[in-house]
Amino acid sequence: EWKNFLERIEFKPRDDKDLKSNTDEICHWASYRGQTLTRTVRGMMYYRRALEIQCIQDKADLEKTYEIS
């Protein structure tokens, strides 16, 4: 991904000074990349919790159904 990023901005760093000159672009790239990962993981965690809650509710509904019968 790093190589693709450098290719996309048409940047070929020769040393650390070159990297420091493009710090803003590099920071934005890293931030966007991290945010996407964070949102993905957070979404998976919410989805898991939603499935757990749904399972609990389904189990409670089944128990009520068998109590009435």
Side-chain angles (χ1 to χ4, degrees):
E1 287 186 43
W2 176 250
K3 288 179 185 177
N4 289 337
F5 167 71
L6 293 178
E7 185 177 301
R8 193 170 47 246
I9 65 168
E10 297 175 2
F11 177 65
K12 294 177 177 49
R14 292 181 297 269
D15 56 18
D16 287 343
K17 288 180 184 178
D18 283 346
L19 286 175
K20 288 178 183 176
S21 67
N22 287 319
T23 302
D24 287 341
E25 289 185 61
I26 293 169
C27 287
H28 287 294
W29 173 79
S31 175
Y32 296 144
R33 208 172 156 265
Q35 288 175 12
T36 301
L37 177 62
T38 301
R39 285 194 304 266
T40 300
V41 171
R42 186 180 304 135
M44 291 184 330
M45 290 171 56
Y46 287 150
Y47 185 70
R48 177 177 180 227
R49 183 68 183 140
L51 290 176
E52 290 172 349
I53 291 170
Q54 183 179 8
C55 181
I56 292 168
Q57 289 175 339
D58 289 347
K59 184 178 176 183
D61 289 344
L62 282 174
E63 289 173 359
K64 286 180 183 177
T65 302
Y66 288 117
E67 285 178 7
I68 295 172
S69 301

